[in-house]
Every structure is written in structure tokens, then in C-alpha cells.
Amino acid sequence: MSCSTTDNDHVMTRRRRFAPKGICVKCKTNRGRIIIRHAAYCKECFEPVLMAKFRGILDPTINCSEQGLSVRGSLQAPGNLLIGFSGGVGSTVLVDLVKCCYLAPVIPGGPKGGKKHPRKTGRPWNKIFICYIDCSACYDVDDRTDEVKTAFENFDENVFEFVPLHLEACFENGQVIVDLTNEGLPLTSGLASSSDPQTSLKNYLGSLPTPSSRESSINTLIRLLLLRTARSRDCSHVLMGTTLTGLSVNLITSVASGSGFTVGLEKGEDWKSHDSQIIRLVLPLREISMKECAAYLHWRNLSVIPNRRILLSPSLSRENVKESIGSLTKGFIYGLERDYPSTVNAIVRTCNKLVSNSTGHGPMQGGIEKWKEHISVRRLEPDGGEDVGRSDLSYLAPHICYACNTTFTSLSSRSTRKTGANGANTQPILMPLWVASNLKIQQQQPMSQSKMEEQIRDFLLE
Amino acid sequence: MSLDQLNLKIVFGGGLELLFSNQRSHNISIPSRVNSKLYNGETTTTEEQNIKSFSRRPGILVLINDTDWELEGEGDYVLNDGDEIVLISTLHGG
């Protein structure tokens, strides 16, 4: 007889997670107040444990050196600090932790603290900017900048400087226009349909094939805009409030979206700008779960800025909407965190071990078009035979990573690409402003020996 | 005070207050006996279904009297008069 199962076997019962007797695992005297991965912590021990995790990640990255660093001696960053602030749980906790751990005020007559107390060591950064990027144009909702600015008044204005931005700033003075209907992504000389940055952003997102590609594009634009803002403000560090849970969602999403080659960049990176300035992107909450952040938020009496779009999202009420890979992964991981919290941690730890075999730099992987040709059954365009090896600057495809290539060209039955009357989007699309400068730099790179020989072959004497 | 009623303090955080007139703290009185159909998942009306889907959605931290409800036995906990229930949303994550 085959292994038949009853209906009840399909239902996996949820594991109970009560700590023995509910006593705090750290002080072993007080009653536990919160369960973190099967261990109970009291309120008094919870905060120092969370701060130790936070400092354990951020401290070694402050004194920028090539091989990580020694945390001995004073912490002094070579530049300023920029914190990406969305008004959500993670970034609110992040700002408070930075303030508590690195910017302790001097209280006359108050406790002095030990040798390494922030009051003794001084501030690691001269200036701290809090950058809010408004994405209202992406979702056709109200601009929340004023709301965030009002909430910012609760922070110490002598310590932090508020930098409000709009995501459409990525398209101001953009120069490169691309035809997204061709897999090679040829650069066109035609004019984009609008010179207004907000309309350009909407056209750009509207031309992407799937909800997943739209979501990953918004995340990429936010990340790059933060890094470029940091460069313009002489910052050496950029911090984001991505928690362990959020990072786990990002890792699974990025692997599913074709970013497996560069999955390591999700947990932070050393971004090198064109003027060789290194900006370190750090996620100091990457070992702190969302549950810990929520408890910290409550016990420190902090407030988030309510986001109507996220709280009232139709996808959360399971209406019939086209969901992205990101939102489906979020639902899955949040459920996993509730039922099997250690698994969420295991996802991050496993992805941390992955190393790409790249010999180049950055997220670029060679031979993308050849790879795509071998793994997929696809219809080539009339000029598609020339795709492989097309490396001149009249095409964008050879100069972007696999994930971006997939973002622009993914063929899907769930496509949401805005189409014209003839069934195809014929409008040329304006690319973000940094695409032009990146292409110029690639043009200036030294020519390979074989290409040099090829160009002067006719003039060589036998 | 009637024994049929429980007085509770409900506190919303993490942006959930947006759904409740932008007010974080609410003092409410509820019947001490819960509709057993709702408790067992045998929902009938749309309103009951909404409550059921909300209560089972992950991403919301629940504290009962400042203690994680997992330590209090989650759904097995019997509410007492004067309890404080805190609900914090983590849906707006980063």
C-alpha cells in the first residue's frame, strides 16, 4: 500500500515556544518579558543586549580601513554620517540607537561613564544627516515630506540635520534614453516623452514589465540616491534601518529576481564613487529581528510615522491584486518569523556565506547575454543575432548586471507594462541620471590588448 | 462594575493607530464571554472574518501587561479586568 496520508497530516502544527519557567536567560533572576528566538529576556537585560548587537556590527566599520578594523582606541570616521529614514519601525529605532550609543549628552553632575563611554570618546562623525526620500510619485499617494519634517522636530535638531528628497530627483538632467522593447536595450537619439522628472519617473516605472521589477527598481533607486546624497555631503557612512527580518526578505527576493550573483551586497557594501571616495553602506540592525525592534520602540516610547499606503495595502487584505515577489516573500518570511524565528536567522547566515567567483568589480557579471541565450527558449528580434558580444556604447544591455537586465526585459504573462495602441510601448524611456556618467567612464577605460591589435591590424607590417 | 464586562486598555503602536482615529490608547469594555464561533474560526459575517484575518496576521507584536503574549500562553491567556493589551505593527519595516 502506498504511503497514504490523512488530511490532518498536511497541517503542520505550530511549535510552542515558551522558555522554561519564563526566567530571563541573562540575569537569571527577573521574570522574562519577551521571547527572542526561544529565549526569554527581562526588560532590564533586553536593551543592553540589543545595543550590544547594534554596536557589534557598527563599531568595526567606523574607522574605515581595507580589512575591517580594530575597535581599540577612539572611533573616528573619516567623514560624516547619513541615515536613511523612512519613518518606519527600523529607521526610527536606528536613529534612537545612534543617539544613545554614540551621542550621549554631557549632563552636568551626572554619571561620567567608563573609558569607552561616548561622553569620553567624542562623536565618531562630525555631522549626521537624516535623509528622507519621498516615493509618493511611485504610488500616486500624498507627499509625506511635511509629516516627516514635523516628526523630525522631536529629534535633537542640534545633532541631526534633515535632508528631504524626492525619488524623481534621480531623473533630473538625465541624458540616456533607451528603447526597452528591444532586448539589447539600444540607446536612442530620440527625445523622451517628458522632461519633467516626476513624469519621467512614472514613465520609467510604467515601462517595466512586472510588479516585481517595479519594486526592485524603486529599492535600487532609493539606495543609489542615498549613496549619491552621501557623497555630496562628504559622508563616509550610510546607515539603513533594514532589520534581520527585512534583510531575510530582501535576500530571498533578490535571489528570486536574478541577483543571486551579488546577493552579498544586500547586507552592505563599500561603494566606490568615481572620485575614488569610499562610502560604506551598513545595516546595523541586520542581526536584530523586527520583533525586537517593535519591543524596543514600545519600551522607549518612540513613535513611527504611520504609512497609510502600507497599512491599508490591498495586498494585505488579500484582494485580487498583482503581487510582486517582494510582497509574497514578505508575507512568507513574516509568518516564518512568528512560527520558526531561528529559520529567518538561518537564511541570513547562509546567504552571508555566499561568495561570488567574480574577478571583476561590482555587480557586473560577464557573458550575461550568452548565458541568457543558453538557458532560455526565446524569440530573437530580427537583429537579435548580433546580441552576443555587442559591447559598444550604443547598447545598454552589455553594461548592466543580470538583475537589471532581467528587470528591464523579463517576459511574463503577468506583465503590467503600459502598452501603446499597437501592443508595444514605443516611447523611449529616460534612464536615471547616473547612467550617462557610468557609460562615459566605461568609454574611458583602457582598451584590451586584443581589441587594440584588432584596430591597428591593417597598419601592421608583416 | 458588572461581572459580565471586562475593562481593558488597548494601546496601538507602529502606525496601527492610524486605523483607530489616530489615537494610540483606548479604554474599552467588552463582554466577559467571547463569541465561541469567532474563537473557533466559525465566522459568519464579513466583520467577523475581518477580525479573524487581522488577529491571525503575522507582523504584529502583542504584549499583555507589558509582557510578550507568547510568555502568557498566547490564545490560552484568559483576560482579566484591567489588563493592558499592546499591539505594535511591524508592517512598515525599514
Side-chain angles (χ1 to χ4, degrees), chain A residues 191-208:
Chain A
L191 289 171
S193 54
S194 171
S195 57
D196 171 39
Q198 196 177 80
T199 315
S200 298
L201 171 66
K202 285 181 179 176
N203 288 343
Y204 176 80
L205 296 175
S207 66
L208 297 175

Side-chain angles (χ1 to χ4, degrees), chain A residues 14 17-18 31-33 35 43 86 89-91 290-291 298-299 303-304 310-312 316 330 334 338, chain B residues 14-15 18-19 24 56-59 63 65-68 70-72 74 76 88 90-94:
Chain A
R14 199 175 146 216
R17 289 176 286 143
F18 304 134
R31 182 172 170 250
R33 291 286 183 181
I35 294 264
K43 218 167 155 180
S86 69
V89 175
S91 51
M290 194 60 91
K291 183 181 176 182
H298 176 66
W299 285 331
S303 299
V304 304
I310 292 174
L311 278 171
L312 305 178
L316 292 171
K330 189 175 176 182
Y334 272 56
R338 186 188 59 177
Chain B
L18 189 76
L19 305 176
R24 291 190 67 174
R56 292 189 176 186
R57 186 183 296 163
L63 301 175
N65 297 328
D66 229 15
T67 303
D68 191 349
E70 287 178 25
L71 279 163
E72 299 286 6
E74 299 184 340
D76 296 338
I88 305 164
T90 59
L91 293 171
H92 186 191

Side-chain angles (χ1 to χ4, degrees), chain A residues 64 66 78 235-237 270-273 276-280:
Chain A
C64 281
E66 290 295 325
C235 294
S236 58
H237 291 78
D270 281 356
W271 185 72
K272 200 176 270 185
S273 61
S276 299
Q277 183 189 349
I278 293 176
I279 296 172
R280 190 161 272 178

Side-chain angles (χ1 to χ4, degrees), chain B residues 69-90:
Chain B
W69 85 319
E70 287 178 25
L71 279 163
E72 299 286 6
E74 299 184 340
D76 296 338
Y77 179 77
V78 180
L79 287 169
N80 297 310
D81 191 52
D83 277 354
E84 183 192 67
I85 316 289
V86 179
L87 300 159
I88 305 164
S89 166
T90 59

